[in-house]
Amino acid sequence: IKRPVDERGLYGHDVFAGKSAAQEVLALNAFMECQEADLSFPFVCVFDFLGERFTTSTQLPISCSSLVYGSADGGRTVRGVEGLRREERRALEACGEKLHLRAHSVGGATVSFGADVEAHRAARDGRFYLIDLARTFPPTAPILRSYACFVDPPAGADGERGGDRGDGERGG
């Protein structure tokens, strides 16, 4: 069990670090809904107790040496889909497509998600685990607004276009 804190000042406050922990669960659920049999995930639980946020997850049979995709060092080194087995690559690409995330290049490696999403190939059980999913999606939905405004053209010199003719009827 750990309490998300903003040790490095990345979030601006511990409250926002706690929100990032909740994003981990949201992204985990989205990946699980992709229903790709070749992907495995940890059990993650986020809970609030006495005004504090905590997270807990299952211990996985992975280590630094099992990393085959993503970055575990803040993006200094990034491993992309190029080094994956065919079924692992297909599963990640299928998830990216289902989640409407486009593959892109980071540090010369092709990734379908944020570079800090990690995939590990566990030697002990042979599974392909995805972890650190919190920054898969933006923390808030972008607000896109479009406005359409329809205006009658002003009355011209001939008085026949647009405007009110005085009898309650529209001209034109």
Side-chain angles (χ1 to χ4, degrees), residues 14-43:
D14 288 349
V15 170
F16 301 122
K19 289 181 180 286
S20 178
Q23 286 295 117
E24 177 86 20
V25 174
L26 291 173
L28 182 62
N29 286 333
F31 275 93
M32 291 176 71
E33 286 177 13
C34 288
Q35 299 182 354
E36 290 295 323
D38 292 318
L39 300 179
S40 297
F41 306 96
F43 172 77

Side-chain angles (χ1 to χ4, degrees), residues 51-81:
E52 299 288 336
R53 178 153 290 173
F54 296 91
T55 65
T56 186
S57 67
T58 52
Q59 189 171 1
L60 300 176
I62 61 174
S63 66
C64 293
S65 63
S66 64
L67 178 72
V68 293
Y69 177 90
S71 178
D73 60 7
R76 285 188 291 278
T77 56
V78 180
R79 296 179 182 193
V81 296

